[in-house]
Amino acid sequence: MANAEREERPERPAESDGTAHLFRALGKQIKVLRERAGLSQRDLGLAAHCGEDLISAMERGVRTPQPDFLGRADTLLNAGGVLAAAVDEVREALSRSRTRHPDWFRSYARVEADALALHEYSAQVVPGLLQTEAYARAVFTQRRPLLDEATIEKRVADRLDRQQIFERWPAPTLSYVLEETPLRRPIGGRAVHTEQLQRLLHIGRLRTVEIQVMPTHREEHPAIGGTFTLITPKGRQQAVYTELYGHPRLITDSEEVRVFSERYGIIRAQALTPRESLTLIEKMLGEL
């Protein structure tokens, strides 16, 4: 566990199989074609059914353009096959790409990428898969002991890359129960906080995701012991992932998993419904 405290630098594609140059080049091509077409990042995101932040991340080379996106963007940007021609190479690069997370997180990251279901309870911050780029950067910047700038940027890029799980189809079953307190904590400042709440609304409105808020005024709480994630790996039984100060634990014992599963069920029953939760987040935004 000493490696976790040392905050090992995650490998990037360029350090493992050289694919980073391909993704950066594609990002630059997308930007040039978008600007030539007279579209903003928001315009392209709406037309391609993805977020403005995703377009920005792809153009900067910190998110991988997925094959399906390249096909849609080729048509939307009148690229004449320039982007579509890279689809096969991108698929091959993705298949060869190694996970780029620290050693202590890699086993979970591999399982998460192909999971059939994820159910997460979070008490301190917005879960990584739901974070905006700016929020994630603020979280890593505030960690102690301090991380160097290069490591912060690599951690942010890898966290954003994990969010491709929302673009998978067939989609995994995804649900989150978030404590109300961290949703009111303006990590990174007002602008970052506002953008983060807006992202929660966007993700929470997806057909494949349910977000619930646990109100602070609840008098009973079955998970005071800490956060956890119930995960159903492809081809295997449900497991539980917990992490405390960088010390991870992947639980596979069926009896322990059953306890966490029951706990999560009680948490969901005590939390606001998904619709009530989105209404509360909208109210928080209106108060900023």
Side-chain angles (χ1 to χ4, degrees), residues 2-285:
N3 288 342
E5 289 299 313
R6 201 168 67 231
E7 291 293 352
E8 291 187 8
R9 178 175 63 84
E11 296 173 342
R12 296 299 302 277
E15 299 169 340
S16 56
D17 59 14
T19 57
H21 296 297
L22 168 63
F23 299 144
R24 281 198 294 268
L26 277 173
K28 291 178 180 179
Q29 289 179 336
I30 292 169
K31 181 178 181 179
V32 170
L33 291 166
R34 174 181 61 75
E35 291 178 342
R36 188 185 69 176
L39 298 176
S40 66
Q41 292 177 339
R42 177 179 174 79
D43 293 335
L44 179 56
L46 289 172
H49 307 295
C50 59
E52 178 182 355
D53 55 343
L54 175 58
I55 301 297
S56 174
M58 286 190 293
E59 291 185 351
R60 287 180 287 110
V62 298
R63 281 289 298 271
T64 304
Q66 295 297 294
D68 289 347
F69 170 82
L70 290 174
R72 294 196 301 272
D74 193 276
T75 300
L76 292 169
L77 300 176
N78 296 315
V82 171
L83 297 179
V87 167
D88 289 342
E89 283 71 19
V90 169
R91 284 202 177 100
E92 182 179 355
L94 289 172
S95 68
R96 290 188 289 109
S97 180
R98 289 166 49 190
T99 184
R100 303 179 300 284
H101 305 283
D103 288 340
W104 57 268
F105 189 73
R106 285 179 181 165
S107 60
Y108 174 76
R110 285 193 294 269
V111 173
E112 179 190 78
D114 296 320
L116 299 178
L118 288 172
H119 304 288
E120 182 168 354
Y121 164 64
S122 183
Q124 298 299 325
V125 295
V126 173
L129 288 178
L130 301 179
Q131 292 177 7
T132 65
E133 179 178 350
Y135 187 97
R137 183 172 290 105
V139 169
F140 285 124
T141 299
Q142 296 172 20
R143 291 187 76 162
R144 295 295 187 275
L146 293 172
L147 304 177
D148 62 78
E149 293 301 320
T151 299
I152 290 172
E153 291 307 309
K154 294 178 191 302
R155 290 292 176 87
V156 171
D158 291 337
R159 178 156 292 182
L160 294 177
D161 198 56
R162 287 172 53 212
Q163 294 175 3
Q164 294 181 70
I165 193 170
F166 296 113
E167 301 161 30
R168 277 175 42 195
W169 195 264
T173 301
L174 301 168
S175 73
Y176 298 87
V177 178
L178 317 178
E179 288 291 336
E180 179 180 348
T181 299
L183 297 187
R184 294 189 179 277
R185 184 175 295 123
I187 291 178
R190 181 174 179 177
V192 173
H193 187 207
T194 298
E195 182 185 36
Q196 182 58 67
L197 292 181
Q198 289 172 339
R199 175 166 173 78
L200 289 177
L201 288 178
H202 170 70
I203 297 296
R205 289 169 179 149
L206 297 177
R207 291 189 298 129
T208 56
V209 183
E210 289 190 337
I211 293 177
Q212 294 178 251
V213 176
M214 175 67 82
T216 303
H217 62 74
R218 288 288 191 261
E219 296 181 359
E220 298 180 359
H221 201 306
I224 295 177
T227 63
F228 61 89
T229 302
L230 283 165
I231 182 168
T232 304
K234 189 175 183 179
R236 290 190 284 170
Q237 296 297 312
Q238 189 176 55
V240 176
Y241 176 79
T242 64
E243 181 186 323
L244 180 62
Y245 293 109
H247 293 272
R249 185 184 178 204
L250 190 61
I251 303 169
T252 57
D253 178 78
S254 59
E255 181 57 26
E256 286 192 80
V257 172
R258 183 190 63 79
V259 171
F260 277 94
S261 181
E262 290 184 357
R263 187 174 298 161
Y264 189 74
I266 297 173
I267 292 172
R268 293 196 71 178
Q270 293 181 343
L272 299 176
T273 68
R275 180 172 295 181
E276 291 170 341
S277 298
L278 294 182
T279 299
L280 176 60
I281 295 172
E282 288 176 339
K283 181 180 178 182
M284 292 179 185
L285 270 170

